[in-house]
Amino acid sequence: MTSLLLPNPDGGTRLYNMQPPTSWARPTAPLTSRRAYAAAHVIPEATADNTPGAPAHLDWDATMAYRHELWSYGLGVADAMDTAQRGMGLDWAATQQLIKRTGVEAASVVASCNAATAGKTVQDLVSCGAGTDQLDLGSVPDGPAGIKAVLDAYREQIAVVSEAGPKVIIMASRALAKVATSPEDYLHVYSTLLSEVDQPVILHWLGRMFDPALAGYWGSDDVAEATETFLGLIRAHADKVDGVKVSLLDASHEVALRAALPDGVRLYTGDDFNYPELIDGDGARHSDALLGIFAAIYPAASVALQKYDAGDAADARAILDSTRELGKHIFSAPTFYYKTGIAFMSWLNGKQAGFQMVGGLHSGRSVVHLARTFELADQAGLLRDPALAAFRMSDYLRINGVGA
């Protein structure tokens, strides 16, 4: 049994005994009962100047290898999203490269006919975010000129995603939230974009807990009013909407929205607190998934979805429930720093050489918080090599003065 000293929140340390590793089987056929995308993070070059405000320099081999790992478990990848530090360190130049490279890698997976992804298309394997983050918010004008700038920025990014091959996710826009003065401004922008795309897209509604700059999205701080605007848009353009990804951390809201969607429009849960019951469903409907937490729990998530495919819903739900406390902790307030926990687990599991993030975001969580992440990941069976994870955790604690 591997043991190490972990810090207590109120000071001092305690001995923690790790559990044996859990074996999570990769699927031998494509997953069918739920559609699931794991929102993947990006891995920086260990020796690059990835400090706040600097252009992002990625370790492309490690970043793409992480996506292949997710695909090997039968999951799709949601790329160039907030998990990949859009608006928090990943600039548009690096984002374009990420989208193009992921499209190429997804095409190679399609061509390989692997058991877990056989028959899948590039759009089944990867969806990428198109937003407006190439704009300088301070320079975006008010009024119609600002709305036009937002539209043109969206068009530029949608074109990059479409040309690379992935499905388009229309992300929420800080610039639109800044310049819009009414629900009609949102409807004008989104209706215009939906009329122009040639393939159904995913619409992303990101709550203010993930990005405070998105407060009042869809033209109202009242969630019920905003939802009516959102639904009106979807109903008017249902043929252009593959699904909606909602990240409000409100299960009851998601269940009601799910029931109100037009036939054929999926609800991709973005609720990293309540995903077990939302994916499990209420007997009549279930949510599909587009989740940042799936980038951390992907082996367990895959096995749970395999259980659903086999008709074993009870075991599937139990596996998802076993990861809930880890998800709640990684996504605890301030929620927008959840990416730090995703990268930390990637490092513990040997998927990246160092615990670093672009923009210096690895400093976004405390030592005590990350020690608890380690403990909960171990209890969920998600530290693949306990000896490696313990070695790295011990080094991290020692460097940060714990037990010194």
Side-chain angles (χ1 to χ4, degrees):
M1 181 179 295
T2 303
S3 303
L4 72 164
L5 292 174
L6 293 182
N8 292 317
D10 55 356
T13 59
R14 59 190 169 83
L15 184 67
Y16 178 74
N17 296 316
M18 297 181 69
Q19 68 175 29
T22 300
S23 178
W24 302 103
R26 287 176 169 82
T28 57
L31 304 172
T32 57
S33 59
R34 306 290 190 277
R35 185 174 294 182
Y37 293 98
H41 78 304
V42 292
I43 300 171
E45 288 183 19
T47 57
D49 185 27
N50 281 297
T51 49
H57 295 277
L58 302 187
D59 180 335
W60 290 112
D61 288 343
T63 295
M64 291 299 111
Y66 207 91
R67 282 133 183 84
H68 279 279
E69 175 82 350
L70 296 171
W71 287 321
S72 76
Y73 279 88
L75 301 173
V77 170
D79 219 334
M81 300 290 290
D82 45 301
T83 305
Q85 297 182 238
R86 294 294 295 273
M88 292 186 73
L90 192 74
D91 55 280
W92 175 231
T95 299
Q96 290 183 74
Q97 288 298 311
L98 178 64
I99 292 167
K100 293 173 183 177
R101 287 172 183 261
T102 304
V104 170
E105 296 301 317
S108 76
V109 173
V110 169
S112 69
C113 299
N114 295 328
T117 54
K120 298 289 187 180
T121 67
V122 168
Q123 291 197 355
D124 293 328
L125 293 180
V126 61
S127 297
C128 287
T132 64
D133 53 335
Q134 73 271 51
L135 297 174
D136 175 5
L137 279 182
S139 301
V140 177
D142 295 330
I147 296 295
K148 182 180 184 302
V150 168
L151 269 170
D152 288 343
Y154 266 131
R155 286 169 173 145
E156 178 188 0
Q157 295 204 10
I158 288 171
V160 170
V161 177
S162 298
E163 289 168 10
K167 185 186 296 291
V168 172
I169 302 171
I170 299 182
M171 300 176 68
S173 164
R174 291 175 181 173
L176 181 55
K178 176 178 181 288
V179 302
T181 60
S182 67
E184 287 69 31
D185 285 338
Y186 286 91
L187 291 173
H188 169 67
V189 169
Y190 278 87
S191 294
T192 300
L193 296 173
L194 290 173
S195 69
E196 292 174 354
V197 295
D198 58 7
Q199 296 287 333
V201 304
I202 297 172
L203 300 179
H204 186 192
W205 183 358
L206 192 67
R208 64 189 302 173
M209 68 290 293
F210 288 93
D211 188 345
L214 299 176
Y217 214 74
W218 302 112
S220 177
D221 285 315
D222 184 281
V223 173
E225 290 183 13
T227 300
E228 283 308 307
T229 300
F230 188 54
L231 277 170
L233 171 74
I234 297 163
R235 288 166 178 153
H237 301 276
D239 60 323
K240 293 293 186 72
V241 181
D242 168 75
V244 299
K245 185 252 203 283
V246 182
S247 300
L248 300 182
L249 304 182
D250 184 338
S252 60
H253 175 269
E254 180 168 318
V255 169
L257 176 60
R258 188 172 68 193
L261 290 173
D263 290 344
V265 177
R266 296 175 179 271
L267 193 302
Y268 292 97
T269 186
D271 189 332
D272 300 277
F273 289 170
N274 303 300
Y275 58 91
E277 59 264 40
L278 292 167
I279 293 171
D280 191 55
D282 56 15
R285 299 177 180 85
H286 65 261
S287 295
D288 294 295
L290 200 163
L291 287 162
I293 192 59
F294 269 23
I297 70 166
Y298 62 87
S302 173
V303 172
L305 297 178
Q306 292 173 55
K307 294 284 187 180
Y308 279 120
D309 285 357
D312 192 349
D315 274 2
R317 173 65 186 271
I319 291 169
L320 293 176
D321 281 337
S322 73
T323 68
R324 184 195 296 269
E325 288 306 310
L326 175 63
K328 289 171 66 176
H329 179 70
I330 287 177
F331 283 79
S332 59
T335 300
F336 44 81
Y337 285 125
Y338 76 87
K339 299 102 168 161
T340 304
I342 302 293
F344 189 66
M345 283 191 59
S346 170
W347 176 63
L348 291 175
N349 280 316
K351 302 303 180 184
Q352 57 192 78
F355 175 44
Q356 294 188 40
M357 300 175 70
V358 298
L361 205 66
H362 47 283
S363 65
R365 294 296 198 185
S366 69
V367 173
V368 170
H369 178 96
L370 292 175
R372 181 61 174 160
T373 301
F374 170 89
E375 184 176 5
L376 290 171
D378 179 61
Q379 292 170 2
L382 291 165
L383 296 180
R384 313 300 301 283
D385 181 343
L388 173 65
F391 176 77
R392 290 190 164 189
M393 188 73 214
S394 295
D395 268 2
Y396 173 78
L397 294 173
R398 176 178 54 79
I399 291 167
N400 283 280
V402 177

